[in-house]
Amino acid sequence: MAARHTSELQALLVDSRFDGEVLPNEPLSRHTTYRIGGPARFLVQADSIGALTKLIEACQAEQVPWVIVGRGSNLLVADEGYPGVVVVLGRDFRHSYFDQERSQFCAGAGVSLTAVVQEAFQRTLAGLEFAVGTPGSIGGALRMNAGTRTDWMGKAVKTVTVFSPGKGLRKIPGSKIQWDYRSTSFAPDDVILECELAVEPADPVYIRGKMEASLARRRSTQPLSMPSCGSVFKSPPGTSAGSLIEGLGLKGTRVGGAQISEMHANFIVNTGGATARDVCALMELAKTKVYEAHGIELKPEVRFLGIS
């Protein structure tokens, strides 16, 4: 039975008419900013909505696990890899344009968030400058409601178009989506395809000032030159995960090739050859120490793939 199911999925992926690229047993360390992770059974770049829907429907029918991955900037993959299909949105999902009449961007989920932020700046449009320097794709930024404590993606969203198995394509008004701190109300199997983002004309000096201040803060406080996933924990109400971990003297602590950053305690960096086990061990150490000292349970911000 398993062989028949596998061969049916493979038949789709080797079909010359399939609109995309298929990489069997592809190391996911090549596709995450952590540079960590074992192989996926298949890594598939779907270049069109037709290819994407056929692929997901085949996985659903055969009960093969699948997941959408953006640029891997907030992802920790198991050393053993992932036994299913990792889907990357390709060609048709990597376009964006500015609708001048409606004063909004329409951006595919595979578009770099940085690219849209930069285009908004060039057009002297405000509303996205909070995201300057944020790595990853539009889709990932929407899924996790990327941003700061005062500004986040949800504030700019007019609509989001998703594909859901069994439901098809839907365009959801931004007001109907629950935007929380580093989380949203999208269902786990909602595939974000594109969005409309509202912006407004503003003084270019004001926009540049906000962007430069944000970039300066990042460069002075975050270990941007080392592989990481960004912040590993969500900050609890009224404090920050980094300050709690730093206050316990854990900066610089190492396990294998992973280290709690000496620059920012809520970053765990790959100093070279780090494994997912190394990172998880440091996360568990930080969680335990913070709970013992403050009674606060830190929640992960990083997404796990293949890690229970």
Side-chain angles (χ1 to χ4, degrees), residues 147-170:
T148 67
R149 288 182 180 273
T150 56
D151 293 292
W152 53 87
M153 288 298 295
K155 284 188 173 183
V157 171
K158 299 295 290 183
T159 68
V160 178
T161 300
V162 303
F163 169 77
S164 306
K167 297 179 182 178
L169 292 170
R170 294 177 295 144

Side-chain angles (χ1 to χ4, degrees), residues 69-81:
V69 170
R71 294 173 179 255
S73 60
N74 189 42
L75 189 65
L76 180 62
V77 180
D79 302 313
E80 297 78 14

Side-chain angles (χ1 to χ4, degrees), residues 5-28:
H5 283 182
T6 301
S7 64
E8 288 177 1
L9 179 59
Q10 288 177 330
L12 172 67
L13 297 179
V14 300
D15 190 329
S16 61
R17 295 168 295 180
F18 181 76
D19 192 10
E21 181 179 3
V22 181
L23 299 175
N25 300 311
E26 174 70 3
L28 293 176

Side-chain angles (χ1 to χ4, degrees), residues 9 13 30 35 53 84 165 216 219 221 227:
L9 179 59
L13 297 179
R30 299 174 181 172
R35 303 293 182 259
T53 55
R219 290 170 181 151
T221 62

Side-chain angles (χ1 to χ4, degrees), residues 32 95 122 130 140 238 245 258 283 308:
T32 67
H95 299 291
Q122 291 167 8
F130 69 89
I245 297 168
M283 289 184 68
S308 56

